[in-house]
Amino acid sequence: MPNQERIIALFNQAGGVAKSTLTQNLGYHLAVKKHRVLLIDMDPQASLTKFMGLIPKELEETVADAIIDQLPLPIQTNIHGVDLAPANRLLSGAEMQLVNAPLRDFRLKNAVEPLGTDYDFILIDCPPSLGLLSYISLVAATHVLVPIETHLKAFEGTDELLQTLKVVRQANPQLQIAGFVPTRYAKTNSADVRALGAIQEQLSAWGKIYPPIPRATAFVDASEERAPLAVYSANHPAVPLLEQIAQGLESL
């Protein structure tokens, strides 16, 4: 899709698979490659918003205003080279209000469309659920990138995830799978190694399997410092892996 924005939803119904961490870091690496990047926080927990250095409860405007009141998407500019449409817990109430809203499926898509060609990449951090906020994020997206923990229990939930994507394609037939990112991987853990093998064997037919992102306390430390990993610890071994994923997204 050269010369067109790529809207990539990072989605998995499971929590704790590093969706927000990946959204922040991939956005940063794409910006380093001179792309114009917008991150959208669609999770009421607002982890991405916090990682980017904002205080959710102090925000006067959030993505909830755009999808409920159909106001322009509020954008905080140039945080580590990327822009952010932030969230806070008001988004939980917004999800309930959306249930009976007209054209609810397209509320986020309609909020993003006026941006036109302002951005090369829009990354959407979805909540850890199969609910309405995830659904409207996937309807707005051109691609979905799936972080998946290298744990057999997490892997077993992918059937439900893939079924959800089939449902979404009824409203968004162009939605493509950008790939799967194994996360929280410990190569010294035999269970993680087995889970990674299962992911590579069974999901490669659906999309690209990226190299696994290691389990590392540096990610937590970086988020506490409100910085991408490459800014916090430039020589960390996970940084080249994140750069590789960003390069893969460029080729979509």
Side-chain angles (χ1 to χ4, degrees), residues 210-221:
Y210 284 97
I213 302 297
R215 187 185 304 270
T217 56
F219 281 113
V220 177
D221 296 338

Side-chain angles (χ1 to χ4, degrees), residues 2-231:
N3 304 319
Q4 294 186 35
E5 64 183 358
R6 281 144 285 190
I7 305 173
I8 304 169
L10 283 87
F11 170 65
N12 190 318
Q13 76 271 24
V17 299
K19 284 189 298 292
S20 301
T21 298
L22 276 175
T23 304
Q24 178 194 34
N25 282 279
L26 293 178
Y28 171 79
H29 284 286
L30 288 166
V32 168
K33 291 172 175 288
K34 307 301 182 185
H35 295 292
R36 300 163 300 167
V37 181
L38 171 66
L39 311 182
I40 300 178
D41 193 348
M42 285 295 290
D43 187 348
Q45 296 179 65
S47 295
L48 177 62
T49 298
K50 296 172 191 172
F51 291 175
M52 297 294 285
L54 302 183
I55 301 173
K57 66 181 180 181
E58 295 182 358
L59 295 171
E60 294 184 2
E61 295 179 315
T62 69
V63 68
D65 299 299
I67 62 175
I68 292 301
D69 297 324
Q70 302 181 76
L71 297 174
L73 200 64
I75 296 174
Q76 304 271 346
T77 59
N78 197 23
I79 307 172
H80 292 296
V82 306
D83 294 352
L84 171 71
N88 59 21
R89 291 199 175 274
L90 290 176
L91 202 50
S92 293
E95 184 165 32
M96 290 186 289
Q97 293 179 60
L98 278 175
V99 171
N100 295 313
L103 298 174
R104 64 179 190 182
D105 294 3
F106 302 98
R107 287 298 179 95
L108 183 59
K109 182 180 177 66
N110 291 341
V112 168
E113 279 184 345
L115 300 176
T117 57
D118 291 351
Y119 296 99
D120 304 307
F121 287 91
I122 297 176
L123 305 185
I124 305 172
D125 184 21
C126 297
S129 74
L130 299 173
L132 198 48
L133 292 177
S134 291
Y135 180 77
I136 67 171
S137 299
L138 292 167
V139 169
T142 59
H143 298 80
V144 55
L145 184 67
V146 182
I148 178 168
E149 187 177 4
T150 50
H151 188 285
L152 286 174
K153 184 178 180 181
F155 171 68
E156 289 167 358
T158 51
D159 281 347
E160 191 175 7
L161 183 149
L162 293 171
Q163 287 301 318
T164 298
L165 296 184
K166 288 182 179 179
V167 172
V168 171
R169 281 183 171 137
Q170 295 176 20
N172 181 9
Q174 280 71 49
L175 182 66
Q176 301 177 52
I177 296 178
F180 299 86
V181 182
T183 63
R184 304 190 184 280
Y185 178 66
K187 62 182 179 181
T188 56
N189 185 318
S190 60
D192 284 15
V193 173
R194 289 195 301 273
L196 178 61
I199 290 169
Q200 292 170 333
E201 179 182 351
Q202 298 187 41
L203 294 179
S204 59
W206 291 87
K208 182 174 183 176
I209 312 297
Y210 284 97
I213 302 297
R215 187 185 304 270
T217 56
F219 281 113
V220 177
D221 296 338
S223 67
E224 289 178 352
E225 292 296 323
R226 308 301 187 243
L229 181 63
V231 173

